[in-house]
Amino acid sequence: MRDRFLAPTVGSLLLWGGMVGIALGAAALGTSSTETLVTQMLINAIVVIGLQVFIGNTGILSFGHPAFGAYAGYVVALLTMPMSRKLLQIPDAPLGLAEVETSTVAATVLAVGLTLIVGVIVGLALVRSGATSGAVAATMITLAFLFVTHEIALNWTDLTDGGGGLGFIPRLEGRLPIIVTLLASILAARWFAESKTGRLAHATREDDVAAASVGINRIRPQMVALLLSVGIIAIGAVLRVRALGSMTPSFFYFDYTLVTLAMLIVGGRLSVTGSMLGVVAITAGTEITRVISGDDVTVPGLEWLLRPNLSDLFLGGAMLGFMLLRPKGLLEDRELDHWLRRWLPRREEQVAPPPEVANPATGDSTLRTVDLGVVFNGFRALADVSIEVEQGEIVGLIGPNGAGKTTLINAVSGLVADHEGTVVLGGEDVTDLAPDELARAGIGRTFQNLRLFRGLSVAENVAVAHMASAAQGRQVPDIDALLAAAGLWELRDRKASALDYGNQRRLELARAAAAGPDFLLLDEPTSGMGETESAEMVDFVRATAASIGAGVLVIDHDLHFIVSICDRVYVLDHGELIAAGPPHVVRQDAAVKSAYLGED
Ligand code: ADP
Ligand code: MG
């Protein structure tokens, strides 16, 4: 635990030192306009960290985050403006606001509080829209939020005095509050990314279906990430408004979204260090383009380019270039502390202990389907299928392509929610549970087309599954032992996407087992494997199931695999159960032979 946060803490301090060093260095070298630029850069850094906390950890692109800044900005403006100014500009402000004047501290607290409430409301909309990584609906909601906020600010003139905005806001004295907030934001962002909640958010970011299959409910991690990011942006916005001494609807509108998003994307949205690099790079770039497009510089033949909008061109170009050539930004997901970790004291490497039984079978533990049926748009994929798997037993599910095998597993694990019949687990009707609830109830699964958390390390893939289940009080196996048994101990720090196919298959099974399920549903674990690899997989499936005391329902094409591993076999054809029994008996069944025409 302590280890996990030591490097990020030291790294955050260094990153902060670097940012402050660059800023103060530039301020010392430059003119008074550099002073303003430096102040703005440090404030933008805070806002970009706010963006990173949400976009980077959840994978949901938001255009609307700067709009949260508008709420905080108006609160602080309205509460700290001198009463005399307000009585002139907005005498009819609601709630008697024209006659209220608070300290900046109180105003900041209220600004952050109100913005968090707005955050909760927007968050609920995101959750309802089924926000998953890359979801279009969620991104559109954030965009709509940006527009709506802008319209409210423009049109609620009694409160905001419209487009001209509010002025005479007491100015920020010195940069200290900004510098301190920057440190707090960097630390919060890095700690969150390393926290349990942050890591669960990463799992849903990588693959929300797989995350649900190991019991992760995406809503809580996404909400926490949202509120943390909103809080950081609110404080950044308060500082921005106080540094400028005024507030208008356009301060936190599209232009600001573009600038801050460009910073995030160029540096690397998955990395706090990267996003800080992006802030410096974009600030420097826009400043340079601004200077060379000014009146003082003339380059014969280039007048057409050196126009005042060159810095916008630069922003657009930078975003376009990075999206095309390096979509994950300069640093991708690397952090300063990843390098640091090599030098900081580290827990002694443990030699992985042998697997042990962690979850022995208890009580009535049968997984049963009763008359399961699935219809896809009028096409019947499954009809009246009743099967049973006992804990500790390995049961095969075979049938020709398109027989409905995957559909059966999808129905049992909750992915196909709209089905007939019931699913009973340990005597309880679990038919109506969501995939993540079913996972927490004890049903684990793998996917026919691998679904790993590709951007996470091997160890992390297993750890998040383990964490999600352990938090629910499930008995979970030792993950080091699981990794060792899967032959992945040496590869534990690799990215899942960097593994070869066989290792990826074993990792997926290890991940499912890490949640300590009572039943494992395996969809073609040996598909695409050679003979030796398949044989190893047989051993691995057996050993894993035994070590966690789980019952297994395994789909496979390969009859050899099924015969060598299963106690019993069910045969599906055209969505119907056509045979059941011990493998050698089923193999001789006439109906099975005809379904498998030409099969060995
Ligand atoms: P198997 O795993 O046995 O090869 P599946 O369960 O994947 O078969 O598919 C059974 C049948 O249901 C196939 O004809 C397939 O085309 C159809 N099917 C599967 N999923 C869907 C879906 N989401 N929508 C429509 N048809 C589907
Ligand atoms: Mg299938």
Side-chain angles (χ1 to χ4, degrees):
M1 186 73 176
R2 221 191 57 214
D3 282 354
R4 204 171 173 95
F5 290 91
L6 177 62
T9 304
V10 177
S12 296
L13 286 167
L14 287 176
L15 180 59
W16 172 70
M19 284 300 282
V20 173
I22 290 170
L24 297 187
L29 291 176
T31 59
S32 67
S33 74
T34 325
E35 290 274 331
T36 321
L37 184 74
V38 160
T39 304
Q40 291 302 320
M41 183 185 85
L42 290 171
I43 292 172
N44 289 345
I46 296 168
V47 173
V48 171
I49 290 171
L51 286 178
Q52 196 279 332
V53 167
F54 184 70
I55 299 175
N57 289 301
T58 68
I60 302 167
L61 177 61
S62 167
F63 291 115
H65 265 58
F68 290 114
Y71 292 88
Y74 273 112
V75 171
V76 86
L78 288 166
L79 291 178
T80 60
M81 262 174 90
M83 211 189 301
S84 54
R85 279 304 303 179
K86 281 195 278 195
L87 287 172
L88 278 177
Q89 251 191 305
I90 44 167
D92 300 326
L95 305 172
L97 270 173
E99 285 162 65
V100 180
E101 206 181 309
T102 70
S103 70
T104 46
V105 175
T108 305
V109 171
L110 284 170
V112 174
L114 180 105
T115 311
L116 285 174
I117 292 172
V118 177
V120 170
I121 296 166
V122 173
L124 291 175
L126 289 180
V127 165
R128 255 196 75 83
S129 80
T132 54
S133 184
V136 176
T139 302
M140 290 312 292
I141 287 174
T142 64
L143 191 58
F145 173 61
L146 185 71
F147 290 141
V148 167
T149 303
H150 184 247
E151 289 308 312
I152 294 173
L154 266 186
N155 293 323
W156 197 354
T157 46
D158 279 355
L159 187 70
T160 64
D161 203 21
L166 303 169
F168 295 90
I169 297 158
R171 292 282 188 123
L172 197 62
E173 310 260 343
R175 286 202 195 93
L176 191 63
I178 301 174
I179 288 172
V180 172
T181 307
L182 180 62
L183 175 61
S185 310
I186 293 176
L187 279 173
R190 284 300 297 130
W191 284 341
F192 176 70
E194 294 295 324
S195 71
K196 281 190 182 174
T197 311
R199 292 156 72 201
L200 296 179
H202 298 163
T204 43
R205 175 190 75 202
E206 295 295 316
D207 189 325
D208 61 294
V209 172
S213 83
V214 294
I216 298 172
N217 179 342
R218 70 183 164 79
I219 293 172
R220 207 183 71 90
Q222 285 179 347
M223 263 297 197
V224 175
L226 178 68
L227 293 182
L228 180 59
S229 78
V230 168
I232 292 172
I233 286 176
I235 300 176
V238 167
L239 292 170
R240 184 158 188 249
V241 167
R242 292 190 53 217
L244 295 167
S246 57
M247 173 71 199
T248 77
S250 62
F251 275 12
F252 295 96
Y253 196 43
F254 221 77
D255 287 351
Y256 198 55
T257 299
L258 281 186
V259 173
T260 48
L261 265 187
M263 290 171 168
L264 182 70
I265 284 168
V266 165
R269 64 188 188 282
L270 300 176
S271 153
V272 179
T273 314
S275 55
M276 291 300 91
L277 206 59
V279 169
V280 174
I282 293 288
T283 307
T286 29
E287 185 57 14
I288 290 167
T289 48
R290 193 186 63 78
V291 169
I292 62 171
S293 63
D295 294 335
D296 304 342
V297 181
T298 45
V299 182
L302 279 183
E303 291 88 357
W304 60 273
L305 181 66
L306 302 182
R307 292 287 167 82
N309 62 359
L310 182 64
S311 45
D312 289 345
L313 207 59
F314 164 75
L315 269 189
M319 274 207 262
L320 188 64
F322 270 88
M323 275 299 148
L324 289 175
L325 302 173
R326 205 174 161 88
K328 286 185 179 164
L330 288 170
L331 286 196
E332 303 198 330
D333 59 358
R334 297 187 196 91
E335 296 285 1
L336 196 57
D337 45 88
H338 296 170
W339 285 294
L340 270 182
R341 228 163 249 181
R342 296 187 204 155
W343 290 290
L344 287 173
R346 200 180 164 175
R347 171 174 64 117
E348 283 296 302
E349 291 289 304
Q350 282 172 359
V351 180
E356 54 194 76
V357 175
N359 201 12
T362 47
D364 169 18
S365 43
T366 309
L367 175 62
R368 182 180 291 126
T369 70
V370 184
D371 298 334
L372 212 57
V374 173
V375 179
F376 291 120
N377 311 321
F379 171 77
R380 181 159 281 285
L382 219 53
D384 297 327
V385 174
S386 301
I387 65 164
E388 225 180 81
V389 185
E390 302 272 340
Q391 210 159 26
E393 191 184 25
I394 300 185
V395 176
L397 180 61
I398 61 172
N401 246 332
K405 305 180 297 294
T406 299
T407 304
L408 175 63
I409 283 192
N410 285 347
V412 172
S413 63
L415 269 191
V416 172
D418 188 17
H419 62 77
E420 304 151 3
T422 49
V423 179
V424 182
L425 174 65
E428 306 241 347
D429 186 338
V430 294
T431 312
D432 296 326
L433 297 190
D436 61 306
E437 293 170 322
L438 282 162
R440 295 196 295 272
I443 296 180
R445 68 165 295 174
T446 63
F447 297 85
Q448 184 168 354
N449 306 310
L450 278 168
R451 298 193 85 128
L452 290 172
F453 305 133
R454 294 176 58 81
L456 305 188
S457 73
V458 168
E460 200 65 4
N461 264 270
V462 177
V464 288
H466 188 264
M467 243 164 33
S469 268
Q472 296 292 320
R474 284 197 73 79
Q475 245 192 316
V476 279
D478 184 283
I479 46 177
D480 289 349
L482 265 178
L483 282 175
L488 295 168
W489 178 251
E490 307 289 330
L491 301 171
R492 66 193 181 283
D493 290 328
R494 292 267 178 91
K495 274 210 177 122
S497 59
L499 296 184
D500 65 36
Y501 185 72
N503 280 325
Q504 290 192 345
R505 280 265 167 217
R506 276 190 295 279
L507 175 57
E508 203 192 25
L509 179 52
R511 180 183 69 187
D518 298 323
F519 292 93
L520 274 169
L521 316 178
L522 309 180
D523 200 345
E524 308 211 12
T526 66
S527 88
M529 284 185 174
E531 227 164 90
T532 339
E533 244 180 342
S534 289
E536 283 168 13
M537 196 65 180
V538 171
D539 294 337
F540 181 53
V541 168
R542 262 214 207 96
T544 308
S547 79
I548 61 172
V552 176
L553 179 68
V554 54
I555 295 179
D556 218 291
H557 253 16
D558 181 358
L559 277 185
H560 287 300
F561 176 84
I562 293 291
V563 170
S564 59
I565 195 173
C566 294
D567 305 314
R568 288 187 301 121
V569 178
Y570 290 103
V571 188
L572 271 180
D573 190 26
H574 295 298
E576 289 177 34
L577 217 48
I578 57 166
H584 59 276
V585 177
V586 165
R587 252 181 122 168
Q588 304 310 322
D589 188 290
V592 176
K593 278 187 170 165
S594 95
Y596 265 97
L597 208 64
E599 198 51 78
D600 43 315

